[in-house]
Amino acid sequence: MTSASSELKLKRFLHYGRETALYQPGDRYANKYFEPGNVTSIEALIADGKDTDPVAHIVKAFSDGYSAHPQSLVYALALCARQQTSEQLRAAAYNALKTVCKAPIDFFLFIKFAHDLSQSNSGCGHGWRRVVIDWYLRKEPMELCECVTKFRGQYGWTHRDIIKLSHPKSADVAMAAVLKYVIHGLKDAKKEFADKPEAQQVMTYLQTIEDFKHCDDEHNAARLIEMHSLTLEHVPAHFLKSKQVWNALIPNLSLGVLLQNLKRLGRLWFLKGNQPIVAKILDALNDQSAIGESNLHPAHVFVALRNYESLGRPTAFVPRTSQSDTKTKSTPQPHPKIIEALNQLLMSTFTLLVPTGMRYLVAIDVRNQMVHGKCWHCLTISPAQAAVLMTLCLVKAERDVTVAAFGAEGSMQPVELGKNISMQETQNRLKEIPNGPVDLSQPILWAMKLKKLVDVFIILTDTQVKQGKSNAVNSLQQYRTALNLPNAKLVTCGLGISKFAVACPDDPGMLDVAGFDAEVPRVVEAFSRGAF
């Protein structure tokens, strides 16, 4: 088999941060995925005469929205902008910045990557300054105002740093006032623009933000949030433990941000009894219009649910270091009404899934360790729970899904799952099946024997499985040939371990997954669709 193409390698990187056929959960930036040696495909495409193809793939991945780790898109764009081989690619990368890095956080990340990748003769050159100035000046004055106050800095860079290097200037009085504020502060901005009618709206807004930033009374802070619809990004660190502030914030939070902060609020002991903050959270979790607009994936909801259910319990082993550690300490408990609302939200988000139109066969390991173990990287979830979640995402969204368990004596045991079945009912049904050994080739050989047409095989187990004489790679090739399905794919998930090696790295139709996080189902979906 020929080696994986440069195009395939780049698409893999754009979708999950590496050029190999292995997805592992984790923060790509913190885990140092973004090193030049990890991305060889861009220079290879240039060498093949496909100078602008990398940017085209980046923009398409951004537009499709399937990337599990969008930071990878930003890094690839910075690589294209800073490489010295193709001027055409460099220009294309800078032109794509306004599309791929609309969000301030992505813009900061691009600046960080571009600076780190810059060579001695290509620091803040004309191309860099042009696109940076354009990024700021294409905004409306109030839009820029909110941008520079909500996201003051990230990744070691601030708006002040970037504006001082790029020197944007605007004839628009309101824009000039905001730029003056960023560089010199509100006092100097007021001296120059306080009497300019065109700048009154932005100056009033900036004054409000400064008042809020320097406020030392949580009741006044909450009042300012409610009056001016301020967001979590505006809140200074010293107010992030204030119940009054959070009470005012919750109506302005997106559903996704609320889910990310539920455990924090629980640990602060805010979610008790019939307090107003609990009622506001329940209203948000049950808001059907917000759910429809949220584009939440069930995996994100389930991870948030399990994290909140595990409130007060350690997620990893921590050794006791002193006698005082052995004392029993009171810990906050999850609110039963919030748990109920999260379960209802989970079922609602299943209806938001967009079908791929593929034919699936899902093979599930039902041995005891799947139930009693923990997913690597996601310790609040067992491999069995992760497997059920991934299975139901397919069963509820797709028209043609066959589910089978690795049964006793190496047999494949079909499992009937209806569209309306719950996660708990599915887990109970799987527990009733006599379990047996896991042979990764068995589901493929079983489908071949039954002449079942399958586009994507998904095997869900907890750990590396010793393969028999006919390993999964060979079995997949046999299946493709026997049923004339050359594009049949195989996803093998080792949910309980950090490393997993089944897929042939040069086969575009094979993917390994090691561990679990909320992005795993999206990675599998994108792979099934042919996004990479």
Side-chain angles (χ1 to χ4, degrees), residues 290-368:
I291 294 170
E293 296 170 0
S294 68
N295 199 31
L296 277 173
H297 193 283
H300 289 96
V301 180
F302 187 65
V303 169
L305 168 61
R306 290 296 300 135
N307 285 341
Y308 182 64
E309 282 183 325
S310 303
L311 191 66
R313 280 185 274 164
T315 57
F317 173 73
V318 179
R320 293 175 175 173
T321 56
S322 66
Q323 185 64 31
S324 61
D325 293 329
T326 63
K327 297 179 180 179
T328 302
K329 296 181 180 180
S330 178
T331 57
Q333 298 300 313
H335 197 294
K337 289 186 178 180
I338 293 179
I339 295 294
E340 181 183 355
L342 286 170
N343 276 296
Q344 291 174 351
L345 175 61
L346 174 63
M347 297 305 291
S348 296
T349 52
F350 279 119
T351 65
L352 303 179
L353 294 170
V354 178
T356 64
M358 300 290 110
R359 297 165 294 192
Y360 292 87
L361 192 158
V362 183
I364 307 174
D365 181 353
V366 291
R367 294 175 298 176
N368 289 335

Side-chain angles (χ1 to χ4, degrees), residues 449-466:
K449 181 180 179 181
L450 297 177
K451 296 183 179 180
K452 180 177 287 293
L453 301 180
V454 177
D455 297 311
V456 186
F457 292 91
I458 300 176
I459 299 176
L460 302 168
T461 182
D462 67 327
T463 187
Q464 186 76 50
V465 177
K466 185 177 180 181

